[in-house]
Amino acid sequence: MNAPAGNPTRNRSHVQEDAIGTPPDSPTLVPAQRYYSPEFAALEIERMWPKVWQLACMVDHVAESGDYFEYRCGPYGVLIVRDGDGVLRAFQNACRHRGNSVCVGSGSGLRELKCGYHGWTWDLAGALKRVPNRKGFGALKMSDFPLVPVRVDTWEGLVFVNLDLDAMPLLEYLEAVPDDIAWCRLNDFRCYATLTVDVEANWKTIADGYSETYHIQTLHPELLRCVDDIHAPQQIWGHTGKSDQPYGVPSPRFEGSLSDEEVWEAYVYTQGALMGAAEGTPFPAGERRPGQTVRELIAEHTRAFAASRGVNLDWADTDRITRLHQYNVFPNMTLLANADHLTVMCSRPGPDPDHGELVMFLMTRMPPGSPRAKPTDVRVTAGEAEPGVVLTQDIQVLASLQRGLHQPGFTHLVLSNEERRVINMHRNLERYLDLSQSERMSGGATAGSRST
């Protein structure tokens, strides 16, 4: 059996810590207008979005020369392209003539980048090579009008962009995350689809939902029967944070005892696809060995499901398979992983502060050396989205949350230390926006601590 990569001590430390950690002296108060104010959204557009690393697409979207992908975030558009030499490049998606988007959507087979309005044309490295009726411009120097470059980098099959050419390197921005999740072998996962959901909620309202486990006890009662949301330790590094959640065990919040059969049924209902179990799959009492726990049964079935796909999970013990590691990367990304599961989610601003989109990158682990393919990109409304029991519940509550934030008597969000990944997002936001002291959060531990 191969030893898992990465740092097992780091990944398995503090497993009995709770999600709250050390309580602050008082709740953290966050001004509610941050979630709906046009002025605040404009400040984000001006000072934050052009300065941060953002997940744009998968390497498989732009794997071959001539592949391109258009990434949009609010008013910003980035064109990502693989040039003729196989180099991944990114540009501001604006023709240098009149600003028309050079490419829209995604595709393959490009040999040049041609604006569809007046025909200005660049090579795939961004150099201007053709201007129709050039003499009408007088002394136009072609080298003065390349496409405007954007920083682009990759990590474990994910493509990130940053409009700030002086931004810190991506791996530095990701802080401890790459080392902390190295054991999971993320590069073996393939993205088979992206699902973009249009939501009547601010991008922060969406992101908050995947930045805390406090809501599990109420919004996800089914999940409460098969996840320990209390002993779910959190850590804050800076731009990034983490939470660990043990699955296959009931929450200590659950009043009364649950049988092993009930824990199994809840896991099958909410997470059964992760072990290839259809809804209603009965508890496998006949195959259970003496002393074998529900978590161990789940891990065993997950290994068997992986093996049916040609994937060997013998390197992963029960904890690696059943503990969900959730990473937050400022401003808008979360990565959820265990030994045979990876989902990456992002929230992005919509046309106004009351609208946004949730983008899910759906993955499956494949045998080493498996062929790669472009993901299928799907877009739906919030009413049409059904990405599983738990995520559907998360999506359905967002519009109600956004409406409530507007009420005149609701001036501040009142946050617990159990929601400190949400607090950390606001702390970073305040830093990028350079807010005055009177505009900042109050109460809690707003000075910030980067410990667990």
Side-chain angles (χ1 to χ4, degrees):
M1 181 180 297
N2 296 325
N7 186 335
T9 301
R10 168 182 285 178
N11 284 304
R12 301 184 189 205
S13 63
H14 313 305
V15 294
Q16 286 304 308
E17 289 186 6
D18 67 20
I20 295 173
T22 304
D25 293 334
S26 63
T28 298
L29 304 181
V30 179
Q33 59 86 26
R34 293 184 181 186
Y35 287 78
Y36 58 81
S37 162
E39 293 77 18
F40 196 87
L43 206 58
E44 293 173 340
I45 292 296
E46 175 190 350
R47 299 182 183 178
M48 188 271 288
W49 289 113
K51 299 289 185 180
V52 293
W53 284 99
Q54 302 165 52
L55 175 59
C57 64
M58 302 299 301
V59 168
D60 287 342
H61 280 107
V62 283
E64 304 294 334
S65 294
D67 288 352
Y68 68 94
F69 187 93
E70 177 201 21
Y71 170 70
R72 294 183 185 179
C73 179
Y76 300 116
V78 175
L79 174 59
I80 303 162
V81 63
R82 183 78 64 175
D83 74 12
D85 295 324
V87 177
L88 190 62
R89 299 182 182 275
F91 309 100
Q92 294 183 23
N93 194 9
C95 173
R96 296 298 302 276
H97 173 221
R98 295 265 293 274
N100 183 47
S101 296
V102 178
C103 290
V104 176
S106 62
S108 303
L110 288 184
R111 295 185 178 180
E112 59 185 16
L113 302 172
K114 181 178 179 180
C115 175
Y117 196 8
H118 295 92
W120 282 39
T121 304
W122 291 260
D123 64 22
L124 297 184
L128 183 61
K129 69 178 196 176
R130 188 165 62 251
V131 173
N133 301 332
R134 181 178 168 187
K135 69 178 182 179
F137 294 92
L140 184 148
K141 190 176 180 181
M142 303 287 272
S143 60
D144 285 345
F145 298 97
L147 291 176
V148 179
V150 169
R151 290 283 295 274
V152 61
D153 205 347
T154 65
W155 173 66
E156 299 291 4
L158 309 176
V159 178
F160 293 80
V161 295
N162 193 323
L163 275 72
D164 182 6
L165 296 180
D166 297 321
M168 70 174 69
L170 173 63
L171 285 181
E172 182 181 340
Y173 189 90
L174 293 175
E175 298 168 334
V177 173
D179 181 60
D180 200 79
I181 195 60
W183 64 271
C184 197
R185 309 175 186 184
L186 297 183
N187 202 44
D188 288 343
F189 285 92
R190 300 285 189 272
C191 180
Y192 60 87
T194 70
L195 178 65
T196 300
V197 184
D198 292 310
V199 180
E200 294 181 359
N202 187 268
W203 71 269
K204 294 184 292 297
T205 305
I206 301 169
D208 289 354
Y210 53 66
S211 301
E212 48 87 5
T213 55
Y214 183 40
H215 70 279
I216 289 178
Q217 58 188 306
T218 304
L219 188 62
H220 307 309
E222 305 91 345
L223 201 57
L224 205 65
R225 294 170 170 259
C226 63
V227 62
D228 186 345
D229 58 326
I230 288 184
H231 299 110
Q234 300 185 73
Q235 188 164 3
I236 302 296
W237 290 301
H239 282 114
T240 60
K242 177 189 178 184
S243 170
D244 287 351
Q245 301 142 38
Y247 277 70
V249 292
S251 169
R253 300 185 199 273
F254 195 86
E255 297 181 3
S257 61
L258 284 178
S259 68
D260 289 347
E261 289 82 357
E262 289 173 307
V263 175
W264 170 272
E265 289 168 0
Y267 189 87
V268 168
Y269 180 62
T270 60
Q271 315 289 314
L274 302 186
M275 58 177 182
E279 185 175 344
T281 298
F283 182 70
E287 66 182 66
R288 189 179 194 179
R289 297 188 299 274
Q292 192 175 29
T293 66
V294 179
R295 291 185 83 196
E296 290 166 341
L297 277 170
I298 289 170
E300 192 170 272
H301 277 250
T302 303
R303 287 191 200 96
F305 177 51
S308 73
R309 310 192 315 268
V311 173
N312 185 344
L313 285 185
D314 287 349
W315 57 269
D317 64 14
T318 293
D319 192 68
R320 293 294 194 203
I321 292 174
T322 59
R323 182 179 296 274
L324 185 68
H325 300 257
Q326 181 167 359
Y327 297 86
N328 291 82
V329 179
F330 179 81
N332 64 335
M333 170 183 152
T334 194
L335 183 152
L336 302 99
N338 63 32
D340 198 37
H341 173 62
L342 176 63
T343 298
V344 183
M345 299 193 295
C346 295
S347 62
R348 296 172 187 160
D352 60 63
D354 286 317
H355 290 82
E357 57 186 37
L358 170 63
V359 184
M360 286 175 271
F361 295 79
L362 308 176
M363 315 279 199
T364 188
R365 189 184 286 280
M366 300 291 288
S370 295
R372 310 190 77 99
K374 286 185 185 293
T376 300
D377 300 317
V378 178
R379 192 176 199 109
V380 297
T381 65
E384 296 167 329
E386 293 185 357
V389 174
V390 175
L391 286 175
T392 299
Q393 291 169 339
D394 287 326
I395 291 168
Q396 289 175 342
V397 78
L398 291 172
S400 174
L401 273 167
Q402 190 67 25
R403 284 194 301 273
L405 292 165
H406 278 275
Q407 305 315 304
F410 187 85
T411 59
H412 292 79
L413 287 73
V414 182
L415 300 184
S416 157
N417 207 48
E418 196 168 346
E419 300 163 289
R420 64 184 176 276
R421 284 177 291 145
V422 178
I423 295 169
N424 190 55
M425 183 272 287
H426 281 279
R427 185 177 298 126
N428 278 292
L429 194 58
E430 291 178 346
R431 180 165 56 87
Y432 276 87
L433 270 51
D434 193 24
L435 298 182
S436 66
Q437 191 60 43
S438 63
E439 298 173 300
R440 293 175 179 256
M441 297 179 290
S442 60
T446 54
S449 169
R450 296 193 177 187
S451 61
T452 52

